[in-house]
């Protein structure tokens, strides 16, 4: 299967553009893919905020938080319900603390765009979806 059919995008850049991207990655300690995705989301958000909301979510989370209030359905076996206890928003990432039981908290770092799309607020119910070493935040 060609890379294009697998979701890969390749393009040529000038040496100056490549160096700029590498410098941004090094300063932010993020991969080129993460930086480019965030840039695309920012561009799309400025032109069409509704479409950006759809792009910002991963497929499973997108289904879980749909506005039709369908029950949460994900393939992960470890889904822990809890209350959002704390949100620490940054320009790129947001740290989300969910209390899953008294004095038991899970902390996950997600993109600020995802936190906004999920409409996370302290005190609201949220779900920690645990898949291997990843914790994904979901909302009903």
């Amino acid at each position: 299967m060609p890379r294009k059919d697998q979701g890969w995008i390749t393009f040529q850049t000038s040496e100056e553009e490549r160096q700029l991207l590498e410098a941004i990655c090094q300063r932010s300690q993020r991969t080129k893919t993460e930086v480019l995705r965030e840039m695309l989301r920012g561009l799309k958000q400025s032109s069409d905020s509704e479409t950006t909301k759809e792009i910002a979510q991963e497929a499973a989370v997108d289904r879980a938080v749909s506005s039709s209030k369908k029950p949460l359905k994900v393939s992960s076996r470890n889904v822990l319900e809890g209350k959002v206890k704390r949100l620490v928003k940054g320009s790129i990432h947001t740290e989300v603390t969910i209390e899953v039981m008294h004095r038991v908290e899970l902390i996950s770092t997600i993109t600020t765009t995802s936190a906004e799309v999920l409409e996370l607020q302290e005190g609201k119910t949220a779900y920690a979806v645990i898949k291997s070493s990843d914790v994904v935040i979901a909302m009903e």
Side-chain angles (χ1 to χ4, degrees):
M1 177 181 289
R3 289 179 125 191
K4 183 172 126 180
D5 295 337
Q6 296 174 3
W8 287 83
I9 298 174
T10 57
F11 57 95
Q12 275 189 305
T13 64
S14 68
E15 182 64 21
E16 181 182 358
E17 291 168 330
R18 186 186 62 74
Q19 288 176 351
L20 178 61
L21 179 57
E22 287 179 1
I24 292 169
C25 292
Q26 193 170 33
R27 275 195 315 269
S28 65
Q29 296 184 340
R30 295 168 55 220
T31 66
K32 291 175 187 173
T33 300
E34 291 170 328
V35 169
L36 292 171
R37 280 182 180 154
E38 194 66 31
M39 289 172 65
L40 286 172
R41 287 183 183 126
L43 290 170
K44 189 64 177 166
Q45 187 172 24
S46 66
S47 65
D48 183 0
S49 63
E50 288 302 310
T51 303
T52 300
K53 287 181 180 178
E54 295 170 8
I55 293 171
Q57 298 178 8
E58 295 177 4
V61 174
D62 187 38
R63 285 190 298 275
V65 299
S66 69
S67 61
S68 63
K69 296 290 185 183
K70 294 178 184 176
L72 180 68
K73 292 182 181 180
V74 293
S75 62
S76 300
R77 292 183 178 181
N78 301 306
V79 179
L80 303 174
E81 182 178 335
K83 296 283 183 193
V84 176
K85 187 169 183 180
R86 184 172 43 257
L87 294 169
V88 181
K89 288 190 177 185
S91 59
I92 304 297
H93 292 100
T94 296
E95 185 179 279
V96 181
T97 302
I98 296 178
E99 186 174 50
V100 293
M101 58 189 325
H102 182 65
R103 298 179 60 191
V104 177
E105 298 176 351
L106 293 176
I107 300 171
S108 179
T109 301
I110 62 175
T111 64
T112 297
T113 302
S114 293
E116 290 168 355
V117 169
L118 290 171
E119 299 176 356
L120 293 173
Q121 295 177 5
E122 290 182 13
K124 285 182 73 175
T125 300
Y127 300 87
V129 182
I130 302 168
K131 184 70 175 174
S132 298
S133 61
D134 296 323
V135 177
V136 179
I137 304 299
M139 298 287 292
E140 281 189 317

